[in-house]
Amino acid sequence: MANNTVDHPPGNSVAEGNHEGDFGVTVMELRGLMELRSGEAVAKIGDTYGDVQGICRRLKTSPIEGLSGNPVDLEKRRTAFGKNFIPPKKAKTFLQLVWEALQDVTLIILEIAAIISLGLSFYHPPGGDMCGAVAGGVEDEGESQAGWIEGAAILFSVIIVVLVTAFNDWSKEKQFRGLQSRIEQEQKFTVIRKGQVIQIPVAEIVVGDIAQIKYGDLLPADGILIQGNDLKIDESSLTGESDQVRKSLEKDPMLLSGTHVMEGSGRMVVSAVGLNSQTGIIFTLLGAGENDEEKKFLGFKKKKKKKKTRKPNAKTQDGIALEIQPLKSEEAAESEEKEEKEEAKTVKKVNVTKKEKSVLQGKLTRLAVQIGKAGLIMSAVTVIILILYFVIDTFGVQRRPWLTECTPIYIQYFVKFFIIGVTVLVVAVPEGLPLAVTISLAYSVKKMMKDNNLVRHLDACETMGNATAICSDKTGTLTMNRMTVVQAYIGDTHYKTVPDPSVIKPETLEIMVNSIAINSAYTTKILPPEKEGGLPRHVGNKTECSLLGLVLELKRDYQPIRDEIPEEKLYKVYTFNSSRKSMSTVLKNSDGGFRMYSKGASEIVLRKCSRILDAQGQPRIFKPKDRDEMVRKVIEPMACDGLRTICVAYRDFPAEAGEPEWDSENDILSDLTCIAVVGIEDPVRPEVPEAIAKCQRAGITVRMVTGDNINTARAIATKCGILLPGEDFLCLEGKEFNQQIRNDKGEVEQERLDKVWPKLRVLARSSPTDKHTLVKGIIDSTVGETRQVVAVTGDGTNDGPALKKADVGFAMGIAGTDVAKEASDIILTDDNFTSIVKAVMWGRNVYDSISKFLQFQLTVNVVAVIVAFTGACITQDSPLKAVQMLWVNLIMDTLASLALATEPPTESLLLRKPYGRNKPLISRTMMKNILGHAVYQLVIIFTLLFAGENFFDIDSGRNAPLHSPPTEHYTIVFNVFVMMQLFNEINARKIHGERNVFEGVYRNPIFCSVVLGTFALQIVIVQFGGKPFSCTALTIDQWLWCVFIGVGELLWGQLISAIPTHHLKFLKEAGHGITKEEIPEEELTEGADEIDHAEMELRRGQILWFRGLNRIQTQIKVVNAFRSSLYEGLENPESRSSIHNFMAHPEFVPLSEEEARIPPIEETGDEIEALPTPCPSVPPPPSPS
């Protein structure tokens, strides 16, 4: 087994020789080559190019020196082979967003009504008094001509609303793209240019670059391996195969973009970038430029094709199948044609599957649907009452005949009533809710960037506010990740500080320095400090840096040793991984023997040692009892000081014994000779203990999950304040933890886990699976009053599953691998635990901002709807006109969501317990505020409406005829209404019943400017709005009264907050999350996405239609399954549904593992799973455990 390297022909970098000619290989040839796998690829390289060196020569690059980095050369490569950049989908243009905003139903209704109203306003009936009081009351010609103004004003305000919405969407999109590009720019990759190892942004990689790959990398381009140590790759993102693939020059040198390096290291020559790489090809197939709808459709068509191949495991090379879940192999060919047609119809409709909405969005959608329904009923009743009253009054009481020439006038009245109804609906529907959420989240995300949180998924920031548990890594998150060796045990002596080199025997020192220099990744280095007097920079693996630091402290240098033995000369490398917990490197000696250097966790490596170097530097026998003594006297005391202990050892294989069997690792890693044990300190970050105390005050449990040994972990946890003296908490090792939670069969049992996790604070020596098990166990647990919401931090590739499983996954921005970042929701750009606490603060703030907005919005809704409704019923005319309603809608939706959703967070948010998953959005206190303020406002408005003319000594505005000029009376009603909303907006800043509503108001400039701006606009509208706004100018006295009544809101608010909430048991809460009981059984299967129940309600009809289709399909399927499985079962034994399935399911519906969760029509998406009752002919799917 030779090391995977090859000889290097000298001088073939572009810098030398003038290669003006083209490259010796074309894009298409390389693309074709990259589509081959393993053996085929090796053969093809051998036939066409001789070896990988041949490819390097044709690409004019040197496997050792890399490219010259000459800009002209790089540019030539970009033109020949493309850039390493996959163009994103085109952003929606502003006009497209405007068009989308226009699709709002209420707006469409308003537009139609306004256009009809416009048209009719130009019609004047011929006869004078024939149509009776209907047309009367017109003082002069000019006023009657102004009938068109109302229609025009409605249209104008609709345009404003649409533009505002579109602008918001547009800025949201822009922010999101900015965020994406920031994430992309921060991604760098290590390449060799001019013999120097440098990091360049991924987009600058070109074909022919020599890239260094290591554990945890996400490969940015396709490449061919030049040299590799123990390289294993996870290609599941491309092939769907979960097994890791071993890469080596002899067997499989092809490395594909988008795959993850799970183990080992190596170098590759980049062979395809951007759209020509395997990931790029898939993107092109998915049609990065097309419309989503078509894209999905294309996906379906491809699925179909794949299905027809009839091989359950067909890996189609066009790559499309890779993105799509495995589908059923039995498919009725007859029903297929029919389905294709059905699909064409349904694809547009059913495209509503979303990734599980965040907790908050779920609650909001349900609330909005409920409010919308109420508003719809109210507006319908309003219109009916108005029309009936008018008809009975005109034709019944006054006994007027219906005259044909008066018809347009009557219709004009009906249109007016209709418009009033629609405005009631507009005010009732809180379309500001989604806007408030978006603004609040976008604002938070922007501000969180400053707090070192790079949010990748918007809803993560709000989920974080509900977090009840944080499972944190130790290294780098709680500690500084600046490792230094502080104690050592060398030659039978335990040194409490790093010893002077003179006290160590030269032979021992020599072998130790060699071992450390060679048996560590060559990418790990200690560089001089950037600033004078700063600390040296640690690059690469921090533990290895500490050992290299020890070498430097012993007055030796590691670089000459590495130069003498470059990576190519290493015979075999066993890289570090989470199961080995050690690393070994083998060198071939000149006499044909081998020497292996090892290092790793002390208790693991010492177990494999049979000798130890004594004070004279000679190996002596090391028995198990010596080992136990050493553990007791050296390792435990080090660990109790919070040090990590690392053992450095070596082993010689004599030449006469022949070459060892390198693949049997256990035999190789035994019989070692211990050189030294060192204690490495990683100091706790100074700000962490306070951050953890804040979390505990906020009701969040912090648990530490680490790979270190239990004593070190316990010491650090005590320093951080995770373990407090005098409390009975569990500190377990991974092994013990597994014994306690698994049954005899080795399966995890939730009941057992529930006994362990509530007290567990430290999990040491844990594997990534332990971490995942713990997180999953806590999330699924139902003990305790509330369900747990878990945040997890991770930096290693192996943390991926736990990060994905957690409600919020934090990845480390500095130490984190690409795989971890890919799986996470938030990236901590400074790797610091305090940033997590900031995220909690922001998350809670988002939740509170939305509750504030709701409290304000619902008060306006209740009042406006009741006023419009009763006003219309009693006076045949809504006191608040359509345009005024739209203005109120604009204040309370767009502007208020801006003002209330951008409150900055305060420390006081961390003093309360988390809300949990099913706390209602509107608490009792908020309900009390909403109803309390509504009472005040209604009393004031009705008093003004029915007695205001006497109070202000003005003409009554009730019962004014059509097109009459606006009255002072109704202007005052409108103005008072708006003033009360403005001052109530200040009340809405507090939702937990606090007294001081002005607290910290100056810290929010947006709020102040919105309130003052609205006030100024209101003055303009009332004084100069005239006919379009149905306003007439008011005197200064009237204005002062209006403002005074508004200020009354603040006093009334104090009165309300004085009433204790717990006496008001009759108040209901609203806006609950979805409780477990409400969800039909089959949805609770693990892995099935949650369905948005509000959308479900709207789509029952569609589901019935599908169900009919499903029945037919199922019947066809049963027949077919019978046919196909009888034949296929005989022909290919691995067919998915063989005869045995029929035995298992007496109903004769073959349900294999992955079919269990797929509803009979795959294309309808997940919604159908929520069918209220399963179809009679289909047995309910068993939940796949």
Side-chain angles (χ1 to χ4, degrees), residues 433-623:
L433 269 182
L435 186 68
V437 181
T438 310
I439 289 181
S440 180
L441 286 175
Y443 172 76
S444 304
V445 166
K446 216 171 178 158
K447 290 282 191 234
M448 280 168 83
M449 294 282 261
K450 293 198 177 73
D451 283 340
N452 302 310
N453 284 304
L454 190 110
V455 181
R456 291 182 68 234
H457 301 137
L458 271 184
D459 50 4
C461 106
E462 152 256 320
T463 316
M464 202 49 220
N466 293 331
T468 53
I470 298 176
C471 295
S472 170
D473 268 0
K474 176 179 76 73
T475 312
T477 316
L478 300 173
T479 59
M480 290 166 75
N481 204 5
R482 237 204 115 72
M483 314 257 188
T484 38
V485 174
V486 287
Q487 296 186 20
Y489 178 88
I490 307 173
D492 291 346
T493 325
H494 185 174
Y495 300 96
K496 292 287 186 188
T497 55
V498 176
D500 192 79
S502 57
V503 301
I504 305 171
K505 274 269 181 258
E507 303 82 69
T508 310
L509 188 58
E510 182 62 29
I511 196 166
M512 184 162 95
V513 170
N514 274 338
S515 173
I516 291 173
I518 293 166
N519 185 29
S520 57
Y522 279 27
T523 46
T524 304
K525 301 187 182 66
I526 294 185
L527 301 177
E530 285 179 337
K531 293 196 266 308
E532 277 298 308
L535 293 165
R537 281 180 300 155
H538 286 183
V539 181
N541 181 315
K542 299 296 189 270
T543 314
E544 291 181 350
C545 284
S546 69
L547 293 170
L548 294 177
L550 173 68
V551 170
L552 298 176
E553 272 189 77
L554 293 170
K555 314 272 190 298
R556 303 293 291 268
D557 190 4
Y558 60 88
Q559 202 51 52
I561 304 173
R562 287 184 171 182
D563 295 342
E564 188 187 325
I565 304 176
E567 255 181 300
E568 288 73 47
K569 289 204 183 152
L570 304 180
Y571 193 80
K572 170 109 181 96
V573 180
Y574 298 96
T575 47
F576 181 89
N577 66 22
S578 52
S579 53
R580 279 190 195 128
K581 290 211 188 319
S582 68
M583 170 178 180
S584 313
T585 304
V586 182
L587 294 178
K588 190 165 188 175
N589 302 335
S590 46
D591 65 354
F594 298 93
R595 167 167 282 188
M596 176 176 77
Y597 292 117
S598 288
K599 67 166 193 289
S602 55
E603 56 262 55
I604 291 173
V605 178
L606 277 178
R607 259 187 238 129
K608 301 180 173 163
C609 289
S610 54
R611 299 185 189 74
I612 186 166
L613 295 183
D614 60 11
Q616 264 47 58
Q618 296 306 317
R620 66 174 161 82
I621 296 295
F622 185 63
K623 299 199 188 71

Side-chain angles (χ1 to χ4, degrees), residues 272-294:
V273 293
L275 289 172
N276 296 313
S277 67
Q278 291 302 304
T279 317
I281 293 172
I282 288 178
F283 269 102
T284 346
L285 282 172
L286 284 175
E290 287 157 16
N291 180 336
D292 270 3
E293 244 49 76
E294 293 164 45

Side-chain angles (χ1 to χ4, degrees), residues 1083 1091-1101 1103 1167-1168 1170-1172:
E1083 260 176 61
I1091 282 111
D1092 183 343
H1093 288 263
E1095 283 176 8
M1096 276 308 300
E1097 286 178 29
L1098 307 174
R1099 303 183 41 256
R1100 285 277 144 82
I1103 285 167
E1167 289 84 23
I1168 313 302
L1171 294 182

Side-chain angles (χ1 to χ4, degrees), residues 157-172:
S157 39
V158 165
I159 290 170
I160 295 285
V161 172
V162 165
L163 287 177
V164 169
T165 319
F167 179 74
N168 276 315
D169 285 346
W170 178 76
S171 57
K172 176 175 82 184

Side-chain angles (χ1 to χ4, degrees), residues 680-934:
I680 299 177
E681 182 186 42
D682 185 10
V684 171
R685 289 175 180 261
E687 63 278 11
V688 161
E690 195 206 338
I692 286 181
K694 275 186 193 163
C695 282
Q696 287 160 343
R697 275 201 300 276
I700 301 170
T701 315
V702 183
R703 294 183 174 80
M704 181 162 106
V705 184
T706 173
D708 259 349
N709 80 30
I710 190 138
N711 296 321
T712 312
R714 197 182 277 125
I716 301 253
T718 315
K719 282 185 194 165
C720 294
I722 291 176
L723 294 175
L724 300 168
E727 296 185 344
D728 66 325
F729 284 135
L730 288 177
C731 295
L732 293 179
E733 286 205 344
K735 226 195 208 136
E736 253 180 291
F737 172 68
N738 276 312
Q739 282 162 3
Q740 294 196 18
I741 63 165
R742 291 177 190 273
N743 59 17
D744 314 332
K745 294 187 190 134
E747 296 158 346
V748 178
E749 284 190 1
Q750 189 66 42
E751 301 85 78
R752 293 182 182 218
L753 232 172
D754 287 345
K755 293 196 186 91
V756 177
W757 72 257
K759 288 208 166 159
L760 183 70
R761 287 296 175 275
V762 174
L763 185 57
R765 282 276 173 252
S766 69
S767 68
T769 18
D770 296 340
K771 192 173 189 174
H772 182 253
T773 310
L774 177 68
V775 172
K776 182 176 179 315
I778 297 180
I779 291 177
D780 294 347
S781 172
T782 46
V783 295
E785 314 77 86
T786 51
R787 297 270 308 281
Q788 298 277 317
V789 178
V790 185
V792 171
T793 70
D795 53 2
T797 306
N798 44 24
D799 293 327
L803 288 171
K804 257 204 158 44
K805 178 68 197 164
D807 294 292
V808 182
F810 286 92
M812 302 297 143
I814 304 166
T817 57
D818 298 342
V819 182
K821 290 179 188 169
E822 201 62 28
S824 70
D825 301 300
I826 298 181
I827 296 174
L828 296 178
T829 48
D830 62 346
D831 289 14
N832 193 337
F833 189 82
T834 34
S835 307
I836 299 179
V837 182
K838 297 246 180 68
V840 172
M841 209 154 80
W842 276 108
R844 293 187 171 189
N845 191 51
V846 167
Y847 209 91
D848 282 8
S849 300
I850 284 159
S851 294
K852 289 170 189 172
F853 171 69
L854 263 177
Q855 178 176 304
F856 172 68
Q857 163 112 38
L858 292 181
T859 314
V860 188
N861 275 6
V862 170
V863 176
V865 170
I866 292 177
V867 167
F869 177 69
T870 40
C873 299
I874 298 170
T875 64
Q876 283 74 70
D877 184 8
S878 163
L880 297 173
K881 300 289 182 290
V883 181
Q884 295 175 350
M885 288 275 215
L886 283 169
W887 162 237
V888 170
N889 207 28
L890 196 71
I891 313 180
M892 60 183 216
D893 277 358
T894 315
L895 299 174
S897 61
L898 251 179
L900 291 168
T902 53
E903 288 271 318
T906 56
E907 287 284 331
S908 60
L909 286 169
L910 292 175
L911 298 176
R912 61 171 177 73
K913 298 274 173 276
Y915 284 145
R917 281 176 195 261
N918 29 20
K919 163 159 191 320
L921 271 177
I922 301 173
S923 60
R924 277 226 169 86
T925 315
M926 287 167 62
M927 209 48 147
K928 176 183 77 175
N929 291 346
I930 291 171
L931 295 177
H933 287 292

Side-chain angles (χ1 to χ4, degrees), residues 968-1154:
E968 277 183 328
H969 183 185
Y970 272 18
T971 307
I972 289 177
V973 173
F974 166 59
N975 200 18
V976 165
F977 181 68
V978 173
M979 287 301 124
M980 291 197 294
Q981 298 326 323
L982 267 185
F983 286 98
N984 194 28
E985 197 165 334
I986 299 174
N987 274 331
R989 289 185 67 240
K990 299 288 175 228
I991 50 173
H992 297 298
E994 296 93 331
R995 280 302 178 81
N996 179 7
V997 289
F998 287 102
E999 181 194 356
V1001 73
Y1002 55 86
R1003 280 182 42 238
N1004 186 357
I1006 301 185
F1007 182 84
C1008 303
S1009 49
V1010 164
V1011 171
L1012 295 172
T1014 315
F1015 191 74
L1017 272 172
Q1018 179 64 16
I1019 296 178
V1020 173
I1021 287 175
V1022 171
Q1023 297 305 93
F1024 311 108
K1027 183 79 199 198
F1029 279 98
S1030 318
C1031 286
T1032 167
L1034 298 180
T1035 64
I1036 192 84
D1037 298 4
Q1038 291 165 335
W1039 263 103
L1040 287 173
W1041 271 112
C1042 293
V1043 174
F1044 171 70
I1045 295 172
V1047 174
E1049 266 289 355
L1050 293 174
L1051 306 171
W1052 184 254
Q1054 294 301 312
L1055 195 72
I1056 292 179
S1057 60
I1059 306 171
T1061 313
H1062 55 86
H1063 289 328
L1064 306 170
K1065 287 274 183 283
F1066 60 89
L1067 287 181
K1068 283 274 182 288
E1069 301 155 322
H1072 287 271
I1074 297 163
T1075 52
K1076 274 275 201 193
E1077 292 73 64
E1078 292 173 38
I1079 305 179
E1081 262 310 284
E1082 57 268 47
E1083 260 176 61
L1084 293 176
T1085 53
E1086 220 263 299
D1089 279 352
E1090 237 172 73
I1091 282 111
D1092 183 343
H1093 288 263
E1095 283 176 8
M1096 276 308 300
E1097 286 178 29
L1098 307 174
R1099 303 183 41 256
R1100 285 277 144 82
Q1102 223 171 305
I1103 285 167
L1104 288 171
W1105 182 81
F1106 285 135
R1107 213 180 295 160
L1109 194 74
N1110 279 356
R1111 292 219 181 123
I1112 304 167
Q1113 261 192 303
T1114 312
Q1115 287 151 10
I1116 297 177
K1117 246 186 210 160
V1118 172
V1119 177
N1120 269 330
F1122 243 147
R1123 238 194 274 146
S1124 62
S1125 56
L1126 278 173
Y1127 300 128
E1128 277 192 18
L1130 304 173
E1131 287 165 34
N1132 55 347
E1134 87 254 330
S1135 94
R1136 294 272 176 92
S1137 39
S1138 62
I1139 302 272
H1140 306 292
N1141 290 41
F1142 290 100
M1143 304 310 165
H1145 300 274
E1147 300 91 349
F1148 301 136
V1149 181
L1151 284 166
S1152 65
E1153 260 317 290
E1154 62 266 71

